[in-house]
Amino acid sequence: MLLALAAIWGSSFLFIKVAVRDVTPGEVVFGRVLVGTLCLLPAVPFLGGWAKAWAGLRRFWRPLLLLGVFNAAVPFWLLAWSEQKLDSGLAAVLQASMPLFTALFAYAFTRSERVTGLRLVGVVTGFLGVLLLVGAQPRGDVLSALAVLLTACLYAGSSVFAGVRLRDASVLVTSLGALGFATLATLPLGLAQLPGEVPSWKTIASIVALGGAGLSVAYLLYFALIAGSGASYAALVTYLVPALALVYGAVFLNEPITASAVGGLALIIAGVALGTGTLGSRRMAGLLDDHVARFNAGVRTGRWDAMVGGFADDAEMEFRGVPVGPFVGRDAIAAAYREQPPDDELRVLEQRRVNGRIEARYAWLAEPDVAAGELLLTPADGGIGKLVVTFDRGVTWA
């Protein structure tokens, strides 16, 4: 499934290059989002039904409107415009810098992850790769390269925004709403630039592939991967897409694979691996296991100093569903547990990694198969930077 997703997204750059040879970027984008929206509609009855979808769209229409414009309409147009001059493979490599922007935005706006140590080294390394690629372009193509970087920046900002404002929206509502609003936003430009004659079959097929496979099918595959294997595994697609796009461009469009493209790709991928914490996935999973072990030991012994030893010095702890807290600092967290100690041990039912933190559904040992709520753990300085404990009996993940 991961390879299928990478193959689809990697081919998107090829299809854009083919399409913009015959029609304008505005027509490519309008056709792409329109096809993507239409292809998602048959999935609605199988993913919650129309009533639930309409309710979600009404509730979240404002953030979905912004997402449609800044995560689809504008970046899709910038990418199509830039590929009028840039090779498709090079555009894919430049866009691979998106997770680096995401790491910076996540820290700047949510303070959820600190960009220090190896993460800072990774971000700097990744952007050195970007500078290498942009600097290697002929003077007339630099603006196109910068347009791709702006695309990556918009994708990154939109993902952070969606993580905050659309956390409670379903995958279907987010995808359908964003693409629907993107279709409305690009409709005027698409109609104003209609071609005087029917485009070639290659152009039409490319636009249909961009919308049908590159948006609707790819979205479903991506979120199925997250649900089945976790976000950290799904994020591996970041490493496969640019390499596949380079191969597609060389094989089908006779684009050269230059030394600067390979060198820039290597630096960007290395930077993404370090800067986004991908290499620390196992360490993060171990952090959750360690916390659960410390918590259960505290329940058995009544001593909480060992448990709070797993927190960073200025850690925060927040409870949702009960009128206490939040608590800041190890001493405050330890005092909270001493004053109101839990009377049962917990076990993790399932966990996933989302935007650099671990999310887990947990249960009490008294009812080991019934979810009692969620743990939202954000690492910092080798320990827990923030822990949010929610009490939501029976909570499930889509």
Side-chain angles (χ1 to χ4, degrees):
M1 191 179 293
L2 181 69
L3 289 176
L5 178 62
I8 291 172
W9 275 347
S11 67
S12 295
F13 299 89
L14 165 68
F15 291 130
I16 291 172
K17 187 70 174 182
V18 172
V20 294
R21 290 175 174 176
D22 200 18
V23 296
T24 66
E27 293 170 291
V28 173
V29 176
F30 173 64
R32 182 182 185 181
V33 294
L34 175 62
V35 172
T37 303
L38 294 176
C39 288
L40 275 178
L41 296 180
V44 173
F46 303 98
L47 297 175
W50 283 105
K52 188 174 181 180
W54 280 119
L57 291 171
R58 287 195 301 269
R59 177 184 175 188
F60 296 105
W61 74 268
R62 289 182 180 85
L64 287 172
L65 171 60
L66 293 176
L67 197 67
V69 172
F70 295 106
N71 190 61
V74 175
F76 287 177
W77 186 90
L78 287 169
L79 188 58
W81 179 82
S82 68
E83 285 201 43
Q84 290 178 314
K85 290 189 175 182
L86 292 182
D87 288 345
S88 62
L90 177 61
V93 173
L94 284 169
Q95 192 173 291
S97 62
M98 187 269 283
L100 301 175
F101 288 106
T102 302
L104 294 179
F105 282 133
Y107 175 70
F109 295 108
T110 69
R111 300 286 171 174
S112 60
E113 297 182 67
R114 298 180 180 182
V115 186
T116 58
L118 284 178
R119 293 175 63 82
L120 180 59
V121 171
V123 170
V124 172
T125 300
F127 281 115
L128 285 176
V130 170
L131 290 175
L132 170 64
L133 287 174
V134 174
Q137 302 311 304
R139 181 173 298 178
D141 295 345
V142 170
L143 187 59
S144 297
L146 293 176
V148 180
L149 290 181
L150 180 55
T151 296
C153 186
L154 288 171
Y155 283 151
S158 298
S159 68
V160 174
F161 171 78
V164 174
R165 295 294 303 276
L166 293 166
R167 179 175 177 78
D168 295 328
S170 69
V171 170
L172 178 65
V173 166
T174 301
S175 302
L176 187 59
L179 289 179
F181 280 119
T183 302
L184 294 176
T186 57
L187 176 62
L189 185 61
L191 294 180
Q193 296 181 336
L194 284 177
E197 57 185 25
V198 177
S200 68
W201 71 267
K202 288 184 179 180
T203 299
I204 295 174
S206 295
I207 293 174
V208 171
L210 283 168
L215 292 180
S216 58
V217 174
Y219 277 9
L220 296 177
L221 280 176
Y222 181 65
F223 290 113
L225 268 176
I226 291 176
S229 303
S232 60
Y233 180 77
L236 293 176
V237 73
T238 303
Y239 304 93
L240 300 175
V241 167
L244 285 173
L246 281 173
V247 173
Y248 286 143
V251 172
F252 296 107
L253 300 175
N254 295 318
E255 294 177 349
I257 299 180
T258 63
S260 62
V262 174
L265 175 61
L267 288 173
I268 291 172
I269 293 302
V272 168
L274 293 171
T276 62
T278 302
L279 297 181
S281 297
R282 292 185 178 181
R283 180 184 63 80
M284 286 182 63
L287 196 63
L288 175 64
D289 294 339
D290 177 68
H291 171 71
V292 171
R294 289 171 181 262
F295 175 88
N296 290 341
V299 172
R300 292 191 297 270
T301 64
R303 299 179 179 178
W304 299 100
D305 291 339
M307 188 203 74
V308 298
F311 287 82
D313 292 338
D314 57 350
E316 300 177 39
M317 189 163 192
E318 177 184 346
F319 294 94
R320 297 177 183 173
V322 292
V324 295
F327 305 95
V328 180
R330 289 175 177 169
D331 292 341
I333 295 171
Y337 275 102
R338 284 194 294 267
E339 293 173 7
Q340 293 184 310
D343 56 6
D344 196 2
E345 299 180 34
L346 62 82
R347 64 185 292 263
V348 173
L349 297 175
E350 60 179 325
Q351 61 179 282
R352 62 189 180 189
R353 187 181 176 198
V354 179
N355 294 330
R357 73 178 181 187
I358 285 194
E359 300 181 353
R361 291 195 312 128
Y362 71 90
W364 301 114
L365 291 188
E367 294 182 285
D369 298 319
V370 178
E374 293 178 294
L375 301 174
L376 313 177
L377 185 154
T378 303
D381 299 332
I384 299 174
K386 183 173 182 178
L387 180 63
V388 178
V389 182
T390 72
F391 297 89
D392 187 4
R393 180 179 170 82
V395 61
T396 59
W397 286 347

